[in-house]
Amino acid sequence: MQNTPLLTDRTALLRNRSRARDRFLHEIARDELLDRLSLVNREFKDPIIIGPADKFLVGAQLIEDAETLHVTPAAHDLAIHFMALHWANDPVGQIIQSARALRPDGHFQAACLGGQTLHELRSCLAQAESEVTGGLSPRITPMGEIRDLGALLQRAGLALPVADSITIKTSYQSVYHLMRDLRKFGETNALNARLRRPTQRSVFERCAELYDQTFSEDGKIIATFEFLFLSGWAPSADQPKPLRPGSATTRLADALKTTEKPLRD
């Protein structure tokens, strides 16, 4: 039986990350994560951070986001998967392994880029390459949608799952300036099925024309970055649980102080 082809070329991904010189995207994700953690009434003493992150939590252990995570089961009270799920060949496997590292009632948080990220560049590159070469090659990783990634929390066995997102709009002088920044962010093409030879210059020239025509404001092009944030808890007997259907003792109409009106047949 043939194995499923890998989405990401990890050697290329690590090379891109090693060349990163700008933490702009990571700083946004970090600040948002820390803001969410500040709302949790808990002091975490044994956190781990999985992915290409700095140690932004005191006492945190940094773990590489390899296919198999080098974590000790039930050893941590907080696991943060940071800016790596959008490159994972097996996102649910990454969440499951992170969850296994948690003690009962341990907390899981994740930040990654979502499906609306760079949708402008994706569209223009696809049209330009199709027009110039008559074909398409994978160029931007197919990042997940919030509904899909939120469902992975339940598949991983985490309780009280929550998923939310923020969208950041940025502007650039040209598509070439955007691509230069993506290299500085360490987020350029690391897809396993990517084109392994140089792209024709005419493809990028046509892409730039389409971008200027379609996604520009006040003389600059617009680029979208969507950040997804996931959270959940390792199951514990002490956690609140939903009531059994039909067990309510108070009518909703009474709670809202309104008159209940029956529906017409």
Side-chain angles (χ1 to χ4, degrees), residues 7-78:
L7 173 70
T8 300
D9 178 351
R10 186 152 185 86
T11 300
L13 176 63
L14 294 178
R15 182 184 64 238
N16 292 346
R17 287 177 177 174
S18 70
R19 296 173 178 174
R21 297 293 180 268
D22 192 321
R23 307 288 290 179
F24 171 68
L25 298 180
H26 285 198
E27 288 169 358
I28 293 174
R30 178 202 64 201
D31 292 347
E32 289 287 333
L33 268 178
L34 291 176
D35 184 56
R36 285 161 172 75
L37 281 175
S38 70
L39 301 177
V40 179
N41 187 22
R42 182 80 60 86
E43 181 181 354
F44 298 105
K45 298 181 179 180
D46 298 297
I48 56 172
I49 303 175
I50 302 160
D54 295 327
K55 191 180 289 189
F56 54 78
L57 285 180
V58 176
Q61 179 184 355
L62 299 182
I63 304 291
E64 182 184 356
D65 56 308
E67 297 291 334
T68 300
L69 300 181
H70 297 293
V71 296
T72 303
H76 302 278
D77 54 4
L78 173 65

Side-chain angles (χ1 to χ4, degrees), residues 42-198:
R42 182 80 60 86
E43 181 181 354
F44 298 105
K45 298 181 179 180
D46 298 297
I48 56 172
I49 303 175
I50 302 160
D54 295 327
K55 191 180 289 189
F56 54 78
L57 285 180
V58 176
Q61 179 184 355
L62 299 182
I63 304 291
E64 182 184 356
D65 56 308
E67 297 291 334
T68 300
L69 300 181
H70 297 293
V71 296
T72 303
H76 302 278
D77 54 4
L78 173 65
I80 296 176
H81 207 292
F82 186 78
M83 292 298 283
L85 280 178
H86 56 281
W87 286 113
N89 287 307
D90 181 14
V92 68
Q94 289 285 302
I95 299 175
I96 289 173
Q97 292 181 76
S98 302
R100 286 175 180 166
L102 293 172
R103 300 168 189 149
D105 205 32
H107 191 39
F108 172 80
Q109 287 263 2
C112 63
L113 294 177
Q116 293 304 306
T117 298
L118 298 176
H119 70 86
E120 305 93 345
L121 180 61
R122 190 192 309 270
S123 172
C124 293
L125 271 175
Q127 183 176 341
E129 188 172 22
S130 178
E131 290 180 6
V132 173
T133 70
L136 290 176
S137 59
R139 295 183 178 275
I140 300 175
T141 184
M143 291 163 269
E145 300 294 336
I146 187 170
R147 180 181 301 177
D148 300 327
L149 289 178
L152 297 186
L153 296 171
Q154 292 181 312
R155 287 182 58 188
L158 290 167
L160 308 174
V162 175
D164 69 299
S165 67
I166 64 168
T167 300
I168 303 294
K169 297 281 187 179
T170 59
S171 60
Y172 286 91
Q173 184 176 338
S174 71
V175 71
Y176 301 106
H177 290 80
L178 169 59
M179 292 178 179
R180 182 190 64 190
D181 265 12
L182 292 177
R183 286 193 293 271
K184 290 164 59 179
F185 299 155
E187 293 288 345
T188 46
N189 194 351
L191 292 172
N192 198 46
R194 70 190 184 280
L195 192 68
R196 301 302 177 109
R197 62 178 184 275

